[in-house]
Amino acid sequence: MKIGILGGGQLGRMLIQEALKYDDQFHMLDPNEDCSCAHISVFTKGDFNKKQDVLDFGKDKDVVSIEIEHVNVEALEELEKQGVKVIPNSNIIKIIQQKILQKQFYDEYQIPSPEFQIILSKEEEIVIGFPFVQKLNTGGYDGKGVQIIKDENDFNNLWDEPSVLENLVDIDKELSLIIAKNERGEIKSFPVTEMVADPKLNLLDFNICPTQISDDVQNQIDVIAEKFMKAADSEGLFAIELFLDKNGKVWVNETAPRLHNSGHQSQEGNANSQFEQFYRVLKNLPLADTSAFGFSGMLNLVGEENFSGKVKYEGLENVLKLPNAYVHLYGKTETKPGRKMGHINVLADSREELLEQLINIKSLVKVVAE
Ligand code: ADP
């Protein structure tokens, strides 16, 4: 089967890595000839934001999917009309691409997400109370395009662009649920993961699984997941990013219609990974068992501040000597501050041991330039 993916980054790379054990051809479209997938797939250089590039790329594929959501949706709509299978469908990609449509979607389907106001420019009357979070309608990514407005004095910082203004949630935990649906209608989720964010310990890059949540919180998440999948009405693999507030209520932050950073530890931590699951969705195969083996965690390897150029991984050998650590590099030759270059998965018997190992590994390895 000819599988076409828009985007050739690390998510696509790990999908191919997992799916090599089966018999398919992966075709990747990316503007960068040296991207993570360029040398391990049937590669097409092109812009996934350009309609014609996507049409040309998609027309002879059995299925077209994405590993980044910022793609040309008009082209996907046309491919669907031509009878090409597009996963997830163009409609849900279009909704998720725009924060305003995404918020209205949650509202329409009574999926709890923080209270909000939409503005098209900063001249509009602001009725939402302080403090609030401003999120640009388009163009935001990895925390960019998101800012907190604390009070009136902060007003002049307001971006003059179409945005969602959203209540600031008093966050207890940031959680993520990865859930998949295939064409035969099977739905399966992974155990909920938690982003550990303790600024004192500088733990900002850790993701752990499973998280410790009450039955009530798990129930709220199950209800959200069910409503979301029903409303989205699409095959695919989705990452629903959630806030658990200090009163025990769960809110949807946002959803990614694709593989997600918060699911990387499933490569070694679960019976099957998010990549295996996504492959099965693309092929409409029975969905895989997602059970967790004990505790697992993930640490992103990001480019250090002040280093740009040909990448060098310092201290990696010390990590490779550890029994329960698994290194994944993304085949990117150039590092930049904050660029995601790889990750390390860790397995442990308890949450405490897991956090200890992650903190230890974080101190062992550095992504610098030669
Ligand atoms: P991105 O798509 O760039 O990752 P997010 O919408 O996930 O942006 O926001 C980035 C981070 O900002 C979140 O992980 C969370 O820590 C914080 N944040 C976003 N929205 C809110 C909110 N309504 N209340 C409190 N914190 C928020």
Side-chain angles (χ1 to χ4, degrees):
M1 188 159 153
K2 271 176 144 181
I3 299 175
I5 307 283
L6 307 182
Q10 63 262 22
L11 299 172
R13 181 183 175 93
M14 292 184 272
L15 168 67
I16 294 172
Q17 176 187 7
E18 189 72 77
L20 274 179
K21 62 192 176 208
Y22 300 114
D23 285 334
D24 298 277
Q25 235 183 23
F26 281 88
H27 298 251
M28 315 300 278
L29 177 73
D30 197 280
N32 176 3
E33 279 167 305
D34 203 25
C35 67
S36 298
C37 297
H39 312 296
I40 59 163
S41 65
V42 187
F43 180 71
T44 303
K45 183 178 157 84
D47 187 345
F48 40 71
N49 280 303
K50 284 210 183 109
K51 187 172 176 187
Q52 198 56 47
D53 285 10
V54 175
L55 284 175
D56 292 344
F57 174 76
K59 63 177 192 276
D60 63 344
K61 304 298 181 293
D62 298 301
V63 56
V64 169
S65 190
I66 56 169
E67 60 104 65
I68 179 167
E69 59 270 36
H70 302 289
V71 297
N72 188 289
V73 168
E74 265 181 59
L76 294 179
E77 286 166 354
E78 204 154 315
L79 287 171
E80 283 169 341
K81 281 192 202 125
Q82 290 169 14
V84 177
K85 183 97 199 152
V86 176
I87 299 179
N89 69 38
S90 60
N91 185 48
I92 191 68
I93 297 175
K94 185 167 144 185
I95 290 168
I96 287 176
Q97 273 182 350
Q98 301 184 47
K99 284 248 155 84
I100 293 176
L101 292 180
Q102 201 183 136
K103 287 294 284 190
Q104 289 169 333
F105 170 84
Y106 298 139
D107 206 31
E108 182 181 346
Y109 291 97
Q110 281 132 37
I111 295 166
S113 92
E115 200 186 310
F116 67 105
Q117 174 187 358
I118 289 164
I119 57 162
L120 300 179
S121 80
K122 68 191 277 184
E123 305 314 322
E124 283 184 45
E125 190 194 352
I126 309 297
V127 293
I128 194 163
F130 294 109
F132 62 79
V133 183
Q134 179 178 27
K135 299 182 172 183
L136 294 184
N137 185 37
T138 54
Y141 205 67
D142 274 345
K144 290 170 215 132
V146 176
Q147 67 169 342
I148 296 176
I149 303 289
K150 287 196 287 291
D151 50 39
E152 278 96 348
N153 300 326
D154 251 0
F155 255 152
N156 39 8
N157 294 330
L158 210 62
W159 294 313
D160 192 18
E161 280 183 61
S163 314
V164 169
L165 309 182
E166 186 176 273
N167 263 351
L168 184 77
V169 176
D170 195 7
I171 298 173
D172 179 25
K173 284 183 177 152
E174 292 200 38
L175 307 172
S176 167
L177 180 80
I178 295 187
I179 184 162
K181 181 180 176 186
N182 61 14
E183 194 179 359
R184 41 181 113 174
E186 251 183 295
I187 296 180
K188 204 165 230 158
S189 47
F190 281 83
V192 176
T193 68
E194 175 186 346
M195 223 169 77
V196 181
D198 183 341
K200 275 187 295 215
L201 289 168
N202 198 18
L203 288 183
L204 290 163
D205 294 325
F206 296 169
N207 208 83
I208 63 170
C209 177
T211 178
Q212 287 160 327
I213 46 175
S214 65
D215 289 349
D216 173 61
V217 169
Q218 181 67 53
N219 263 341
Q220 291 182 58
I221 295 173
D222 292 343
V223 170
I224 286 172
E226 198 184 329
K227 282 187 181 173
F228 178 86
M229 293 310 278
K230 205 165 168 198
D233 192 23
S234 173
E235 298 122 77
L237 180 133
F238 300 88
I240 308 179
E241 294 179 55
L242 305 156
F243 298 136
L244 172 61
D245 75 13
K246 297 218 165 110
N247 295 319
K249 178 159 168 72
V250 180
W251 306 91
V252 174
N253 171 27
E254 58 174 0
T255 304
R258 54 162 170 81
L259 295 160
H260 197 256
N261 196 254
S262 62
H264 288 354
Q265 69 287 330
S266 63
Q267 286 169 309
E268 283 90 16
N270 296 62
N272 289 282
S273 71
Q274 63 166 341
F275 304 99
E276 169 81 30
Q277 196 71 304
F278 183 45
Y279 170 80
R280 293 189 184 206
V281 168
L282 295 176
K283 299 266 301 185
N284 191 22
L285 295 169
L287 294 183
D289 176 18
T290 57
S291 320
F293 303 135
F295 290 82
S296 62
M298 191 260 333
L299 154 72
N300 283 316
L301 292 175
V302 299
E304 288 282 319
E305 289 298 316
N306 304 320
F307 289 95
S308 289
K310 195 160 184 307
V311 65
K312 191 171 99 186
Y313 298 95
E314 268 177 14
L316 218 50
E317 286 210 9
N318 293 328
V319 179
L320 291 170
K321 285 178 193 156
L322 300 172
N324 294 322
Y326 301 85
V327 174
H328 297 264
L329 301 182
Y330 301 157
K332 299 179 183 176
T333 47
E334 300 279 314
T335 183
K336 279 190 291 204
R339 187 172 193 207
K340 284 182 188 156
M341 302 297 288
H343 69 268
I344 297 169
N345 289 335
V346 178
L347 302 183
D349 292 326
S350 70
R351 184 183 165 104
E352 292 67 36
E353 189 199 319
L354 180 67
L355 290 174
E356 209 172 285
Q357 285 262 28
L358 285 164
I359 293 167
N360 176 38
I361 290 172
K362 189 165 178 151
S363 72
L364 290 177
V365 56
K366 272 198 166 56
V367 183
V368 297
E370 272 181 5

